[in-house]
Amino acid sequence: MASRLNPYISFDGDARPAMEFYQEVFGGTLALNTFGEAGSPGIPESDQIMHAMLETPSGFTLMGADTPPGMEYTPGGNFSVSLSGDDEGELRGYWEKLSAGGTVSVPLEKQMWGDVFGMCTDRFGIPWMVNIGQAQA
């Protein structure tokens, strides 16, 4: 899979209806994963969206999620640019350059869902998410 760059939007508890709306607008396939499915079934937010991805027939990819418990939702600051793919060398290179001189909020390391993931804000104040998935056989 080639690396991709796309917006990632944070929502204040309404990610599911928002992403369903975008699916109505753009068409395509919508995948929704809840906090409960990701290993947090007992929390009040277990039915909220931990990760959503809409892939459209036109080649657009839009990702989003509800703001996780314990994090503050900030309108106007509710987006990140997401880099994802399975070319570990390429994506680690991007990570090193983007995080240099910036702030790392989640170190680039293996996560509970199996991918290597990290979050940083570059020196210009732009938030980035990097996700390195396993190569598809």
Side-chain angles (χ1 to χ4, degrees), residues 7-136:
Y8 201 110
I9 304 169
S10 294
F11 297 93
D12 192 23
D14 55 359
R16 181 182 302 272
M19 294 300 292
E20 289 171 346
F21 168 73
Y22 297 136
Q23 183 183 30
E24 290 175 21
V25 172
F26 299 112
T29 303
L30 177 61
L32 299 169
N33 302 101
T34 66
F35 287 107
E37 293 167 338
S40 298
I43 65 172
E45 299 86 358
S46 64
D47 289 335
Q48 288 187 351
I49 302 302
M50 184 197 81
H51 177 70
M53 182 167 72
L54 175 63
E55 295 186 278
T56 75
S58 297
F60 303 149
T61 300
L62 179 63
M63 294 182 184
D66 287 309
T67 302
M71 293 183 72
E72 184 177 337
Y73 173 77
T74 307
N78 57 334
F79 79 96
S80 296
V81 181
S82 173
L83 283 167
S84 57
D86 58 16
D87 187 330
E88 185 168 358
E90 177 183 46
L91 291 164
R92 282 189 183 276
Y94 294 146
W95 171 264
E96 292 303 321
K97 292 174 185 175
L98 290 167
S99 62
T103 304
V104 173
S105 55
V106 176
L108 186 66
E109 59 190 21
K110 189 165 184 134
Q111 301 296 321
M112 66 183 199
W113 61 88
D115 293 350
V116 173
F117 175 83
M119 293 172 60
C120 68
T121 300
D122 70 21
R123 64 181 187 224
F124 300 103
I126 304 302
W128 293 87
M129 303 165 75
V130 175
N131 192 88
I132 305 168
Q134 303 302 310
Q136 302 297 317

